[in-house]
Amino acid sequence: MDSKLPGIQVGRAIAAISVFYFHSYIGLTYFDKASLHTFDWLAVQGGSGVDLFFAISGFIVCYVAARPDFTTGSFLLKRFFRIYPLNALVTLIVAAICFANIRISDDTSFSHIIWSILILPQKAPVNSVGWTLEYEVAFYLVAAILLPRGGPAVLLAYCAASYELYYLVLPESPFILRFVTEHHAAFGAGVLAFMIITRLPVLPLMARWLLSAALAAAGVAVFLWAYNFFNSPLIRPAACMLAVIGAALLPSAPRWAVRLGDISYGFYLLHWPVVCISYWTAASIVKPNPAAGELWRWGLFLVVLALANLSWVFFEKPLNRMARRLTNRTVNSENGVGDYVASSRRTGIVQRVGAAD
């Protein structure tokens, strides 16, 4: 599926690189700040890549559920293999770094490591960026229950209710917070993007290129300037919705850009320990020129890129193949999940986003 939505893969790549840039200052503490040539907007707003990740997840779960062979069991099994093994591996790597007296995590007790591997709600996992996975897993569970029974409309209603309820009660329990959260505005933006896509007419190729570019530009414009007119936490989800629609309509993308999307999950998980350990590396081992901060930043980027590629080739892809084999058996053994996943509807979606089984 991923290779059939090139724009979505590009969106994932942009989200991961934005978060990397947002965190890259941690690895530059050793260097002279005056020598840095920082993109201020990314340095301040790059963390919003997480919202884009969430919106893409909202779109993708609806896209997957529209398949005629969708089953709850196969969906959750694939999500398990996609999320849990790599998170467990990186969690253990971070713990090992901490045991070597390089403190890049506050708590590496045995119970905390197990809690983080299981992606259970907590204040801060061993690999700090793993907090987003707790929201992802909770959303997948909700989507697996609601999509087969009510489709995207019901899932969108849940996201809206969760968002409103969060600001009404402001829950403190981490478990409740994963299911009643302001982050469901971003997930819901992706669900709404999917619903809009399904209602668009089939567009000629040039029209798709133009509309894709226009929507992407509109998303950036909303994110940059809407705060001048409105003070609302819904601005970022609205920008993400426009961007996801534009990305889904993109007819094609360079292979290298799609590949960056393929490895974006590994890139996201691995960038944190690499960035955190890099200050210790610079100050204690390499001791580079303090004016070489930008070279160091982009050197870190290449290191994370190489590690993410290795993870994709030797760890993630084999696990994905295993998941597909297992889910094929699951699909064959489960009953259908309702009229919502009718083949005709799937055909309409395929025509709109250019994907093919």
Side-chain angles (χ1 to χ4, degrees), residues 61-62 65 70 72 75-76 138-162 179 184 191 337-338 340-341:
V61 297
C62 294
F70 172 83
T72 299
F75 169 74
L76 291 177
F139 179 71
Y140 293 150
L141 291 173
V142 171
I145 295 170
L146 296 183
L147 281 174
R149 291 159 179 82
V154 172
L155 184 58
L156 179 61
Y158 172 87
C159 290
S162 170
F179 294 92
H184 277 147
V191 176
V337 293
Y340 155 65
V341 293

Side-chain angles (χ1 to χ4, degrees), residues 268-307:
Y268 175 75
L269 288 184
L270 288 163
H271 90 273
W272 180 257
V274 170
V275 167
C276 288
I277 202 174
S278 65
Y279 168 71
W280 175 84
T281 304
S284 303
I285 299 178
V286 180
K287 297 183 180 179
N289 186 330
E294 285 302 322
L295 287 175
W296 190 261
R297 188 202 310 262
W298 295 108
L300 293 178
F301 175 82
L302 293 176
V303 169
V304 178
L305 194 66
L307 292 174

Side-chain angles (χ1 to χ4, degrees), residues 78-95 116-119 127 129-130 133 261-271 273 304 307-320:
K78 281 185 178 179
R79 290 298 86 198
F80 174 85
F81 276 97
R82 187 72 187 98
I83 298 295
Y84 275 84
L86 185 59
N87 173 68
L89 177 61
V90 178
T91 297
L92 293 174
I93 290 173
V94 173
S116 298
I117 288 174
L118 296 176
I119 315 181
N127 186 26
V129 295
L133 303 185
D262 289 338
I263 68 172
S264 60
Y265 179 52
F267 188 98
Y268 175 75
L269 288 184
L270 288 163
H271 90 273
V304 178
L307 292 174
N309 264 297
L310 290 172
S311 169
W312 174 252
V313 172
F314 297 107
F315 191 75
E316 296 171 75
K317 282 185 72 175
L319 283 172
N320 289 344

Side-chain angles (χ1 to χ4, degrees), residues 48-214:
S48 298
V50 168
D51 295 280
L52 184 55
F53 269 131
F54 287 163
I56 288 172
S57 291
F59 179 91
I60 288 297
V61 297
C62 294
Y63 182 84
V64 171
R67 293 177 60 91
D69 59 352
F70 172 83
T71 68
T72 299
S74 64
F75 169 74
L76 291 177
L77 191 61
K78 281 185 178 179
R79 290 298 86 198
F80 174 85
F81 276 97
R82 187 72 187 98
I83 298 295
Y84 275 84
L86 185 59
N87 173 68
L89 177 61
V90 178
T91 297
L92 293 174
I93 290 173
V94 173
I97 293 171
C98 292
F99 293 151
N101 293 321
I102 306 171
R103 301 300 300 178
I104 62 174
S105 182
D106 293 331
D107 184 357
T108 52
S109 63
F110 179 77
S111 60
H112 193 215
I113 292 171
I114 296 301
W115 209 259
S116 298
I117 288 174
L118 296 176
I119 315 181
L120 296 175
Q122 57 189 301
K123 290 185 177 179
V126 172
N127 186 26
S128 294
V129 295
W131 68 269
T132 60
L133 303 185
E134 297 171 16
Y135 289 94
E136 290 273 1
V137 169
F139 179 71
Y140 293 150
L141 291 173
V142 171
I145 295 170
L146 296 183
L147 281 174
R149 291 159 179 82
V154 172
L155 184 58
L156 179 61
Y158 172 87
C159 290
S162 170
Y163 174 82
E164 292 294 337
L165 189 58
Y166 168 80
Y167 284 104
L168 182 64
V169 301
L170 296 176
E172 296 183 1
S173 165
F175 277 93
I176 296 175
L177 271 170
R178 301 308 175 261
F179 294 92
V180 179
T181 172
E182 78 276 24
H183 294 299
H184 277 147
F187 285 110
V191 176
L192 183 57
F194 176 85
M195 295 173 67
I196 292 171
I197 283 282
T198 61
R199 286 159 177 78
L200 290 177
V202 179
L203 301 171
L205 187 63
M206 183 55 67
R208 284 178 57 193
W209 275 110
L210 293 174
L211 185 57
S212 175

